[in-house]
Structures are given as C-alpha cells and as structure tokens.
Amino acid sequence: MEASVNPQGLTVLVVDDEPLALSQMKWLLAAEPQAGEVFTAADARSAEQVLQQRRIDVVLLDIHMPGMSGLALARRLRDLPAVEPQAEAGPQVVFVTADAHPAVEAFELEARDYLLKPVRGERLAEALRRAAAARETAAQDRPEPVRVAVLQGDSTVLVNLQDIRWVQAHGDYARLHTQAGTYLLRTPLAELAEAWEEHGFIRTHRSSLVNLIHVQRVTRRQGRMLIEVPGAELEVSRRLMPQVRERLETGR
C-alpha cells in the first residue's frame, strides 16, 4: 500500500497490476483538484486490505488482473462490505481498462463510470465529478443513525446501533460489543432482541444477539452453526438455527 497526500478532495484507491499504469494514474490524480489522498494496490487482494483499513471514496479499478478480476472485486464490494459498517455510503467504483467488452457487466455492477486506457485528464475529472455527486446524493438520502444511550462511569455515551457487533446477556443488563469497546445497558437481552429485530439484529442464543451487517462468516460442522463477527465466534443454539438460517438467507 502506498499513498500520496493532498489535503482536500476524494480519497482514491487505484487498483492495477501494471506498475506503469499505476504511475500514470497517480500522475493524473496529482494534477486533479477533486482528488485528495491516493492509495494504490497491485491486485484485488491487496485492494481489499486497503478497503478494510481506510475509508475510500472512489476505487479506480482495472478489470483484467491475475487472480481475482476487477469485476469480481466490484461484486464483492457490492454484496459483501469490505470495510467496517458505518453510516457513510460505500466507495464508488470506476473501471479503468483497455477492454471495452465488459462494459455492460460493469454497469450491471453499478459502476459509476468506465474509462478506457489511455485515460485522458478531462475524462478522469468527469468520472470523479460523477462519483462525488453520487456520494453526496447517497449522504442526503441516508436516514439519521439510531443511537442508544449507555452509562460509562459518570458519563452518558451515545452509541450508534449499527456500530454494535453483538450483544451478550449480563443478568438484568446487556453488554454491547463494538469496535471501540464494550458498554453495559440496563435492559435485558430478551427486550433488546424484540426491539432491535427491525434494525437487523438476530437472536442466536439465549445469551447472545448478533447484528446481521457485521456477520463475516457462517460455519456449519457436526450439526453446529457458528457465526463469526469481528472479534468473536458465537454458537447458534439448535432451537434458533432455522430462524437464523432464514434471516441470513434473506439478508434481513
């Protein structure tokens, strides 16, 4: 991972297996006022690592690369969020390629634009304008986050509901697990399971509740079901398996 820094503008990730193409795109972006911080990756796997660590506004993505193709990476970005779930919209994808044939599939994947190599500066500027406009529209249409007030010492902390990865029963309390830490809420788990169901939480066990958008992997072995969220692997009770399976399949 490599970055060049400008103080303003969109955060851009350039993904291309050709070093010369990466250098040329960095040169174009350095002269483009809409571009801010610029990261590069030589393949899709490296790009995923950047996306997991950084908030990226626009991905300039080559299509034909060794291993995972650009189309496959765009599909993963659409179907499986690569970054920690958050209120902001995901990255806008702009394909940059010498091949015009995959254009139809690219736009089926909701690509913001499709640039043919060699890329001209004015065409790149147009693509960034489209990406910025789409991101602004998504931000305006986004509902206000639902927050819950929890006590932390002598203070009250407001936690975004969608930042909660999973919830653990703790007597008459519930322990909320987030990336920032854990918090105690004076509400029994059963009440939260009912109240938060519409917000994407799944009751997986009498002692646990999982936020669907944070589920990374589901493992089934020897009649057991395990759900992995960042920092924890949680067993699903046999009684709740059918409900959990249905919720995961429908994505709601």
Side-chain angles (χ1 to χ4, degrees):
M1 181 177 68
E2 182 181 334
S4 60
V5 180
N6 285 324
Q8 304 295 327
L10 298 165
T11 302
V12 181
L13 170 62
V14 185
V15 187
D16 201 309
D17 63 308
E18 298 178 9
L20 180 58
L22 285 178
S23 297
Q24 290 174 335
M25 189 58 71
K26 285 179 63 181
W27 180 78
L28 286 172
L29 289 167
E32 174 52 57
Q34 296 179 90
E37 195 169 15
V38 177
F39 294 88
T40 64
D43 54 53
R45 294 297 182 189
S46 299
E48 284 189 311
Q49 294 177 6
V50 178
L51 289 161
Q52 289 166 3
Q53 298 167 9
R54 304 282 182 171
R55 174 182 161 182
I56 300 296
D57 296 317
V58 183
V59 181
L60 299 175
L61 182 57
D62 188 22
I63 289 181
H64 300 296
M65 297 183 291
M68 189 192 306
S69 71
L71 291 171
L73 175 59
R75 196 171 292 112
R76 286 173 66 88
L77 286 176
R78 186 191 63 175
D79 298 336
L80 296 173
V83 293
E84 283 290 318
Q86 51 183 304
E88 289 81 3
Q92 301 287 320
V93 174
V94 175
F95 286 106
V96 184
T97 178
D99 184 4
H101 291 94
V104 173
E105 186 177 356
F107 285 111
E108 287 175 352
L109 290 170
E110 300 176 359
R112 190 54 52 200
D113 210 333
Y114 194 98
L115 306 183
L116 288 175
K117 297 177 180 177
V119 178
R120 293 178 289 111
E122 58 269 27
R123 191 66 184 85
L124 175 61
E126 180 185 346
L128 293 179
R129 279 195 297 272
R130 289 181 179 180
R135 190 171 185 83
E136 184 176 348
T137 299
Q140 291 171 350
D141 293 342
R142 190 170 57 242
E144 288 295 319
V146 178
R147 298 194 291 180
V148 58
V150 297
L151 288 175
Q152 190 177 57
D154 297 329
S155 304
T156 298
V157 178
L158 295 175
V159 177
N160 286 343
L161 205 60
Q162 293 308 305
D163 289 340
I164 301 169
R165 295 169 170 175
W166 68 287
V167 185
Q168 180 181 16
H170 200 84
D172 292 333
Y173 290 75
R175 184 172 293 280
L176 315 180
H177 293 260
T178 73
Q179 181 183 14
T182 65
Y183 307 91
L184 278 178
L185 181 64
R186 193 170 184 175
T187 306
L189 188 74
E191 290 185 23
L192 294 182
E194 183 176 350
W196 292 357
E197 181 179 5
E198 64 180 298
H199 298 292
F201 283 78
I202 310 171
R203 185 72 179 268
T204 55
H205 195 276
R206 61 185 176 85
S207 62
S208 60
L209 186 64
V210 170
N211 190 343
L212 181 65
I213 64 171
H214 289 279
V215 173
Q216 295 179 316
R217 182 180 291 108
V218 179
T219 305
R220 298 176 179 87
R221 57 174 178 262
Q222 299 179 342
R224 300 170 66 208
M225 178 186 284
L226 299 171
I227 288 183
E228 183 180 327
V229 296
E233 188 177 59
L234 308 167
E235 184 168 2
V236 179
S237 69
R238 291 183 182 275
R239 180 178 64 85
L240 292 172
M241 275 187 193
Q243 297 165 243
V244 172
R245 188 178 297 112
E246 181 181 358
R247 290 286 301 279
L248 289 170
E249 287 173 354
T250 59
R252 295 182 288 104

